[in-house]
Amino acid sequence: MDIHIPRRTALAAAVACTAAALALPALGQAAFPKQKPITLVVPFSPGGGNDILARAVAPKLGQLLGQTIVIENKPGAGGNLGTELVARAEADGYTLVIASSQVTMNPFLGMKVPFRIERDFEPVGRMASVPLVLVSHPGEPYRTLQEFMAYSRAHPGKLSYSSPGNGTPQHLAGEVFAKLNKTEMLHVPYRGTGLSVTDLIAGQVQVSFATYASVAQHIQAGKVRALGIAGQKRTPLAPELPTFGDAGLKHYDASLWYSLLAPARTPPDVVARVNEAMVSALNDPAVAKQLAQQGFETQPSTPAELKVFLASELKRWERVINDNHIKVAP
């Protein structure tokens, strides 16, 4: 039996089908991030810079993306454990990692690094930086950076400094300082910033290199004494603190930066969507104010800009680590 479809009805159906076909790509793009919550991996223990940044940005980022952001702390192996989990995750945008300077240092420290940043990740964007500050137990005899430098030279091997772990930027800050200051210090690694600072307050170690964000409240409470900024640029949060450059170490810079990475082969449209939301979250006045109060300087970038920056940092730290003969236990 022949079925006659009126010409007007057939035309309308054809138009509808065409519109639906054209809409398919848009629907595919809109599917992210509606399927499930996004996991934001922090490859260090709570209390450190990565963690503070993640918890400050995640609520606004989730609001902008229209999806819940779940923060998971996965510490271990100098940040390699949590970072590797993301490298091996499905490349769909639902698993991200806040990566710090650490990822451009680890490949040259003699430790096992089960991934390559250039090969196994898609850059999403640079996020922020924070100065490292040298702090001491308030009972120590040195009260200024210059006094500490003189004391450490006069007592090689007698001072111990804590860090969040072997191969962390804080660890390297101490190693490079000791070599430039022509002295020796005992490095005491911990599993995370919280424990590192806690033992400094308890007097188990004499000094520590820490992010300003992680020790600001302890400085204000008098539990630790700030000696100087481990770099060349003063922080507006404590402008009275001298830099190591002020003290004569003109080429010393151990500032710490943070970025957002996704697994390699994450679709470009997903990367662009997350970057757009990340930049908007960092530029939000409330978020920017909160981060500034904790010592962060927001520095949002495009994925392409982060890719170039990562390549330059890999070259820089390879040179610094090799020139200073720094290695950590595998």
Side-chain angles (χ1 to χ4, degrees):
M1 181 192 312
D2 291 336
I3 299 176
H4 176 69
I5 301 176
R7 186 171 181 275
R8 180 177 298 177
T9 303
L11 180 60
V15 170
C17 290
T18 301
L22 290 174
L24 285 176
L27 288 173
Q29 292 171 358
F32 178 84
K34 301 303 181 183
Q35 298 175 8
K36 57 185 177 180
I38 296 170
T39 297
L40 180 57
V41 174
V42 173
F44 294 97
S45 301
N50 299 61
D51 186 66
I52 293 171
L53 179 60
R55 295 182 190 282
V57 175
K60 188 64 180 180
L61 183 64
Q63 178 186 337
L64 291 166
L65 288 172
Q67 185 55 272
T68 302
I69 307 291
V70 178
I71 297 174
E72 290 190 1
N73 292 86
K74 298 290 185 180
N80 286 336
L81 177 61
T83 308
E84 182 188 10
L85 288 175
V86 178
R88 308 295 176 237
E90 189 172 350
D92 56 7
Y94 288 96
T95 308
L96 309 168
V97 62
I98 289 193
S100 65
S101 313
Q102 186 83 55
V103 294
T104 57
M105 299 174 176
N106 286 354
F108 313 110
L109 289 169
M111 63 171 61
K112 181 181 178 181
V113 180
F115 54 82
R116 287 181 57 189
I117 291 299
E118 319 95 298
R119 180 193 66 200
D120 297 323
F121 291 93
E122 295 293 340
V124 176
R126 190 172 174 182
M127 299 183 73
S129 67
V130 66
L132 291 183
V133 58
L134 174 64
V135 290
S136 72
H137 185 273
E140 292 301 311
Y142 32 82
R143 303 185 65 86
T144 68
L145 180 57
Q146 290 283 12
E147 289 177 1
F148 170 76
M149 292 173 65
Y151 187 94
S152 65
R153 284 194 299 267
H155 301 82
K158 301 298 183 182
L159 292 176
S160 59
Y161 75 98
S162 64
S163 83
N166 280 322
T168 59
Q170 293 89 328
H171 171 205
L172 264 65
E175 292 294 317
V176 175
F177 164 77
K179 290 185 180 297
L180 293 177
N181 198 47
K182 297 180 172 58
T183 188
E184 295 179 8
M185 296 194 301
L186 174 64
H187 173 231
V188 183
Y190 289 83
R191 288 181 62 85
T193 298
L195 293 173
S196 172
V197 175
T198 296
D199 265 15
L200 172 67
I201 293 172
Q204 298 300 313
V205 294
Q206 289 78 53
V207 297
S208 182
F209 288 86
T211 61
Y212 189 86
S214 66
V215 293
Q217 61 178 331
H218 302 305
I219 294 172
Q220 294 163 5
K223 294 180 179 180
V224 300
R225 177 185 296 146
L227 298 177
I229 299 297
Q232 303 295 312
K233 181 182 178 182
R234 294 198 180 204
T235 173
L237 293 179
E240 74 283 358
L241 279 183
T243 68
F244 280 50
D246 295 331
L249 301 182
K250 297 300 183 184
H251 301 290
Y252 181 85
D253 187 3
S255 59
L256 186 52
W257 51 260
Y258 303 91
S259 65
L260 192 61
L261 304 177
R265 295 174 295 282
T266 298
D269 60 318
V270 172
V271 171
R273 178 75 182 92
V274 177
N275 174 267
E276 178 186 25
M278 180 204 76
V279 172
S280 295
L282 290 170
N283 287 333
D284 179 77
V287 174
K289 180 180 179 180
Q290 180 182 350
L291 289 173
Q293 289 173 340
Q294 298 183 85
F296 289 90
E297 179 184 350
T298 55
Q299 299 172 327
S301 80
T302 66
E305 289 168 339
L306 176 57
K307 183 175 183 178
V308 172
F309 179 72
L310 288 172
S312 67
E313 283 291 281
L314 284 165
K315 290 180 180 179
R316 179 169 85 95
W317 283 111
E318 180 179 22
R319 183 179 67 254
V320 168
I321 291 167
N322 290 339
D323 288 352
N324 290 280
H325 309 289
I326 300 170
K327 295 295 178 184
V328 302

